[in-house]
Amino acid sequence: MSIVGRPQEVRLVGNSEAIRLVEAEADTAARSDAKVLVTGETGVGKEVVARLIHHRSARASAPLVTLNCAGLPDSLLESELFGHVRGSFTGAYRDKPGLLEMAPNGTLFLDEVGEMSTRMQVVLLRFLESGEIQRVGADRSHARVNVRLVTATNRDLEAQVAAGTFREDLYFRLNVIRMRIPPLRDRIEDIPLLARYFLHGYRQQHRAPAVEISTEAMDALLTYRWPGNVRELKNVVERIVLKATGPNVGLSDLPAEVRRSVGAVEGSASSQPPAFAAKSYADELAERMLDHGESFWAVVYPLFISRDLTRADLRRIVQSGLERTNGNYRLLVQSFNMPIDDYKRFLSFLRKHDCHLPFQRFRVVPARLRAQVS
Ligand SMILES: Nc1ncnc2c1ncn2[C@@H]1O[C@H](COP(=O)(O)OP(=O)(O)O)[C@@H](O)[C@H]1O
Ligand SMILES: [Mg+2]
C-alpha cells in the first residue's frame, strides 16, 4: 500500500486510438467524483490510469492512497483501510487510524478488487453506503470521510457475480464509470513509443550509453504477443539497456520468446499452438531460475504478489521446475535457488495460492516398472 501526497508526473504514453480514448475518459472521470472501475489484463496500465484520474482531478493536492487487495489477508486489509482500536487483536497495542482517514478529500485506489473475500466485500459495501469509518474492534463508527474510490481488476467481475463469488450490489456500486484498457497486442502502434520512452528512462537511470533498436528487433517487438503487456515490455527494455554490448539492438539482444515470435509468423503460423505465446512469460521466468541462478523470491514472488503473474503462470513455473526435478520439491527449492531451509515457507506459499501441484504426475516411472503399475 502507499500514500502519495504530492502530485508526481504521470504519463500515459501511447498514440493509439485506444489510448487516446482512455486518456479522454480519464479526463472526463477526473471532472466528477463518480466511482471508476478500471479493467484490463495484468500490466496494461490500470494503475497508471488510476493515478492519472487522481492527478487531473480537483483532489490532486490531497493524498492518493493505493491498496492492493490481493496481497493481504482479510483481517489486515480491514485494519489497513479502517484502522483498529487498542486490544482488538493480539499486537494491537494502541488505536491506529486506517488509510481512509489519512486520505481526507483524496482518492482511494483499490487494486485487484476481484480478490476481495466475501466478508471484506460486505465491509466495503457498508462503508460505501454510509461513508462512515468503523475501526476494527470498535462498536460504533468513528468518523466520516470524503474519499473518491477508483478500483481495478484483471478479473471478469461479471463472471464472478454470476458465479456468486462477487456481490452484485457491490459490483453495481463500483461500476459507475467503466474504463477498459485493451491489451498491448491490440494496440501495437504504442509499442515503438513505449519502447523508446522506457529506453530513455532506463538509460538515464543506469547511466548507460545510447542504443538504437534495429528494424528487425522492432519487428519482433511488434509481433510478440506480450502476455505481460506494458510491464513485460518495460522489463524487456530494461534488460536490453543493461545487457547492451553495442549501440545497435539486434534480434539476438532480445529474449528468446520475443525472437521466436518472428519465426512463428515467418514459419507456419498455424503450426504454433495458441497457448504458445501465453506460456512464454512464465517459461522465461522459470528459465531465469533454472538456468541463470536467479532466486524464486527475487524473480517470481514479487511479481505474483503484485498480481503481475497469474496463478496459471505460477503453476506453469512450478510445473517446469518439477519436470526438471522429477517431481522432487526439495530439489525444486534448490533449483529455484532458495536456501533449503525455505522448503516449508515455499510449500506453504504454493498451498496458500493453490499452486501446489501433486508431485506424482512428474515421477518418471522406469520402463520396467511401468507395465506392473499400469
Ligand atoms: N501507457 C503507459 N505509459 C507509460 N507507462 C506505462 C503505460 N502503461 C503501463 N505503464 C507502466 O507499465 C507498468 C505496469 O503498469 P500498471 O499500471 O502497474 O499495470 P496494471 O495495474 O494494469 O497491472 C508500470 O510500471 C507502468 O508505469
Ligand atoms: Mg496493477
Side-chain angles (χ1 to χ4, degrees), residues 10-14 19 38-51 109 111-112 152-154 181 187 190 194 197-198 202 228-235 306-308:
V10 188
R11 280 198 60 189
L12 187 68
V13 175
I19 279 299
V38 190
T39 60
E41 289 180 12
T42 182
V44 287
K46 297 186 291 298
E47 186 160 353
V48 177
V49 166
R51 286 164 51 200
F109 173 49
D111 204 355
E112 307 300 351
T153 182
N154 57 17
I181 310 181
R187 47 181 167 106
D190 293 339
L194 282 163
Y197 173 73
F198 294 137
Y202 282 124
N229 292 292
V230 183
R231 179 177 309 265
E232 189 184 4
L233 174 64
K234 192 173 171 181
N235 290 343
S306 64
R307 308 303 298 179
D308 288 317

Side-chain angles (χ1 to χ4, degrees), residues 191-251:
I191 291 176
L193 219 64
L194 282 163
R196 291 199 186 96
Y197 173 73
F198 294 137
L199 208 56
H200 182 75
Y202 282 124
R203 260 195 54 215
Q204 292 198 317
Q205 186 181 328
H206 299 300
R207 294 172 211 275
V211 286
E212 269 297 320
I213 301 178
S214 70
T215 319
E216 313 86 78
M218 189 57 85
D219 280 347
L221 296 182
L222 291 168
T223 316
Y224 180 55
R225 282 181 55 76
W226 300 109
N229 292 292
V230 183
R231 179 177 309 265
E232 189 184 4
L233 174 64
K234 192 173 171 181
N235 290 343
V236 165
V237 171
E238 180 170 26
R239 286 170 62 203
I240 289 177
V241 170
L242 290 173
K243 286 182 14 190
T245 48
N248 198 32
V249 177
L251 211 47

Side-chain angles (χ1 to χ4, degrees), residues 144-208:
R144 292 179 69 89
V145 285
N146 171 354
V147 289
R148 198 262 176 94
L149 185 65
V150 178
T151 53
T153 182
N154 57 17
R155 299 260 196 149
D156 182 348
L157 278 192
E158 288 85 353
Q160 280 186 270
V161 168
T165 54
F166 201 86
R167 291 183 67 104
E168 189 172 42
D169 44 7
L170 179 59
Y171 170 72
F172 286 137
R173 284 225 166 230
L174 301 180
N175 188 32
V176 180
I177 297 181
R178 173 63 158 263
M179 294 181 62
R180 280 191 190 82
I181 310 181
L184 190 56
R185 76 185 79 87
D186 291 345
R187 47 181 167 106
I188 59 171
E189 313 90 287
D190 293 339
I191 291 176
L193 219 64
L194 282 163
R196 291 199 186 96
Y197 173 73
F198 294 137
L199 208 56
H200 182 75
Y202 282 124
R203 260 195 54 215
Q204 292 198 317
Q205 186 181 328
H206 299 300
R207 294 172 211 275

Side-chain angles (χ1 to χ4, degrees), residues 48-298:
V48 177
V49 166
R51 286 164 51 200
L52 201 67
I53 294 172
H54 172 73
H55 289 306
R56 292 191 178 174
S57 76
R59 296 170 178 269
S61 55
L64 164 68
V65 170
T66 296
L67 187 64
N68 189 325
C69 304
L72 297 174
D74 237 28
S75 50
L76 208 56
L77 193 59
E78 185 175 356
S79 93
E80 282 298 331
L81 269 180
F82 300 99
H84 60 249
V85 296
R86 184 172 157 226
S88 54
F89 52 84
T90 335
Y93 296 117
R94 55 179 69 91
D95 290 4
K96 184 176 168 279
L99 289 170
L100 282 168
E101 278 173 76
M102 297 181 195
N105 306 315
T107 306
L108 168 67
F109 173 49
L110 279 184
D111 204 355
E112 307 300 351
V113 268
E115 313 297 315
M116 216 177 236
S117 71
T118 25
R119 202 190 66 82
M120 258 322 279
Q121 291 174 30
V122 175
V123 175
L124 181 62
L125 190 65
R126 194 180 60 207
F127 166 70
L128 294 179
E129 277 165 358
S130 67
E132 289 178 356
I133 291 178
Q134 186 166 342
R135 290 182 174 178
V136 173
D139 47 18
R140 71 179 89 100
S141 85
H142 168 83
R144 292 179 69 89
V145 285
N146 171 354
V147 289
R148 198 262 176 94
L149 185 65
V150 178
T151 53
T153 182
N154 57 17
R155 299 260 196 149
D156 182 348
L157 278 192
E158 288 85 353
Q160 280 186 270
V161 168
T165 54
F166 201 86
R167 291 183 67 104
E168 189 172 42
D169 44 7
L170 179 59
Y171 170 72
F172 286 137
R173 284 225 166 230
L174 301 180
N175 188 32
V176 180
I177 297 181
R178 173 63 158 263
M179 294 181 62
R180 280 191 190 82
I181 310 181
L184 190 56
R185 76 185 79 87
D186 291 345
R187 47 181 167 106
I188 59 171
E189 313 90 287
D190 293 339
I191 291 176
L193 219 64
L194 282 163
R196 291 199 186 96
Y197 173 73
F198 294 137
L199 208 56
H200 182 75
Y202 282 124
R203 260 195 54 215
Q204 292 198 317
Q205 186 181 328
H206 299 300
R207 294 172 211 275
V211 286
E212 269 297 320
I213 301 178
S214 70
T215 319
E216 313 86 78
M218 189 57 85
D219 280 347
L221 296 182
L222 291 168
T223 316
Y224 180 55
R225 282 181 55 76
W226 300 109
N229 292 292
V230 183
R231 179 177 309 265
E232 189 184 4
L233 174 64
K234 192 173 171 181
N235 290 343
V236 165
V237 171
E238 180 170 26
R239 286 170 62 203
I240 289 177
V241 170
L242 290 173
K243 286 182 14 190
T245 48
N248 198 32
V249 177
L251 211 47
S252 60
D253 299 306
L254 301 180
E257 73 276 7
V258 180
R259 254 183 288 144
R260 274 198 298 257
S261 67
V262 192
V265 168
E266 281 169 359
S268 153
S270 58
S271 70
Q272 290 294 341
F276 171 80
K279 275 190 223 162
S280 55
Y281 189 40
D283 288 345
E284 145 106 354
L285 296 175
E287 244 174 64
R288 279 170 61 183
M289 297 182 292
L290 295 169
D291 301 326
H292 302 285
E294 293 185 63
S295 153
F296 178 85
W297 302 123

